[in-house]
Amino acid sequence: MNGPGFYQSRLQRPGAVLAPMAGYSDAPMRQLAAEQGALWTVSEMISARGLMGGGDTEKLNLGRPYPGEQGRVVQLFGAEPEVLAGAVARAEAWFAPAAIDLNMGCPVPKIRGKGGACLLQTPETAYDLVRAMRSATALDVSAKIRLGWDHDRSVEVAQGLEAAGAALVTVHGRTSAQRYTGEADWDAIARVAAAVKVPVVGSGDITTPGRARECQRTGVAAVMIGRGAVGNPWIFRALASGQDAWPDARERARTALRHAELQEQFYDDDTGRLTLRPLRKVLPQYLPDFPELRGPLTQVLTAGDVRQVLAPLLGDGGAELTPARPAGYAVSHS
């Protein structure tokens, strides 16, 4: 379902959301998460100015859907209302998203002054951006924030976003200054969820279904999973179905190979990403209990290479491998 009410309709069912992660939540990863029952997925963040500057086209891989993709939210970043409004219209025309999200949480220094977490220092600008984005589309517009720039002002910011017309607010339980250090503050997220009427999605440090359910009890409408879903799309299946069974090594190896095959299929164009170099950081996380595979998997160039490395687990011959430690949701995937 596209159009107004997308978030409310998806939140009627159990499950979790795939977070936007630069370098990770591209089309192949979104496809695997969606197939395992993610409530929705969010694209890697896209520069609004880049979309409007003429250099990008509808073939832009950051926004381009995989064939048949649905339930995908496109995330934009920027700091100028007129540019964001134009980018929303262009993203809707090119990428057929289910909703549009404003990035207010990226702490990376290179985008300072261009949006991201910088907006937490001047939230009034963010409210203007949301209003401008809403004026450009009938789709739901949401925003993803951190607790603040260097101290917690998340309740104030979330209330301002709600007043500006945001249909949903996602809160990552750290300040921008923290980057990814320390622990996510779920008490702060709970305060936001209690302070606004729109749905609040909570994010931070979820690597197991059990932890996701604990966080769900803080009053959020859903949880968003980032690093905990890398090499682990089954966490969405567990939360959608209530069945926490950890896949055996063969299923995980088959999915790692499928991820590689999807990567080759999606990037089969002139982008220069025809090799699997971007997946070298991902593939070993499917099989953390087989550390001897890490080295070979970080050298692969093609899906054929992945098949060869994983042959003992795929049942394609070769010496059998023994897990170095028990696998399961107790294994960290962060």
Side-chain angles (χ1 to χ4, degrees), residues 32-327:
L32 293 171
E35 289 172 354
Q36 294 296 331
L39 291 177
W40 65 84
T41 64
V42 188
S43 72
E44 301 170 82
M45 67 177 184
I46 302 170
S47 164
R49 182 161 285 284
L51 274 187
M52 298 307 294
D56 291 328
T57 72
E58 65 273 13
K59 295 182 179 178
L60 177 70
N61 284 323
L62 289 178
R64 182 163 60 95
Y66 60 80
E69 183 169 17
Q70 296 182 338
R72 184 274 317 261
V73 175
V74 165
Q75 188 185 71
L76 301 174
F77 77 91
E80 300 156 293
E82 68 281 1
V83 176
L84 259 300
V88 165
R90 187 158 287 183
E92 185 173 354
W94 284 354
F95 307 137
I100 303 284
D101 190 63
L102 174 65
N103 182 301
M104 294 178 59
C106 181
V108 176
K110 71 179 181 180
I111 73 163
R112 281 187 188 160
K114 303 173 187 174
C118 290
L119 294 171
L120 296 168
Q121 297 173 294
T122 57
E124 296 78 10
T125 300
Y127 310 152
D128 288 341
L129 296 178
V130 168
R131 282 188 283 266
M133 293 166 72
R134 287 195 66 231
S135 73
T137 182
L139 299 175
D140 281 351
V141 172
S142 55
K144 184 174 188 287
I145 69 173
R146 283 177 172 245
L147 297 181
W149 179 255
D150 55 11
H151 65 281
D152 183 5
R153 58 189 302 191
S154 53
V155 167
E156 167 204 346
V157 172
Q159 289 174 334
L161 291 168
E162 178 181 38
L168 176 142
V169 177
T170 299
V171 184
H172 179 84
R174 290 177 173 87
T175 64
S176 179
Q178 285 180 277
R179 300 286 293 266
Y180 296 99
T181 62
E183 293 186 4
D185 185 347
W186 278 86
D187 290 336
I189 296 173
R191 289 193 291 272
V192 177
V196 295
K197 294 184 175 65
V198 295
V200 170
V201 174
S203 167
D205 301 344
I206 294 176
T207 58
T208 68
R211 178 60 180 153
R213 294 186 186 103
E214 286 176 21
C215 293
Q216 187 88 46
R217 289 193 283 273
T218 61
V220 295
V223 297
M224 176 176 278
I225 303 176
R227 289 173 289 174
V230 177
N232 181 21
W234 305 282
I235 195 166
F236 297 106
R237 181 173 73 188
L239 294 167
S241 68
Q243 303 298 314
D244 290 6
W246 177 255
D248 63 20
R250 177 173 287 192
E251 181 179 350
R252 287 182 283 128
R254 285 176 172 168
T255 304
L257 175 59
R258 180 147 179 269
H259 197 158
E261 292 169 343
L262 291 172
Q263 185 90 357
E264 285 192 338
Q265 292 163 15
F266 184 76
Y267 293 110
D268 185 16
D269 55 18
D270 57 0
T271 63
R273 292 185 67 179
L274 290 176
T275 73
L276 296 191
R277 284 190 180 89
L279 271 193
R280 290 174 173 177
K281 62 195 175 190
V282 174
L283 294 172
Q285 299 197 56
Y286 282 101
L287 297 154
D289 44 335
F290 293 91
E292 67 271 32
L293 296 179
R294 171 173 286 276
L297 287 173
T298 58
Q299 301 297 315
V300 294
L301 288 171
T302 67
D305 295 340
V306 177
R307 180 180 292 279
Q308 187 171 4
V309 171
L310 298 181
L313 297 178
L314 294 167
D316 293 345
E320 293 213 0
L321 300 177
T322 303
R325 61 181 184 273

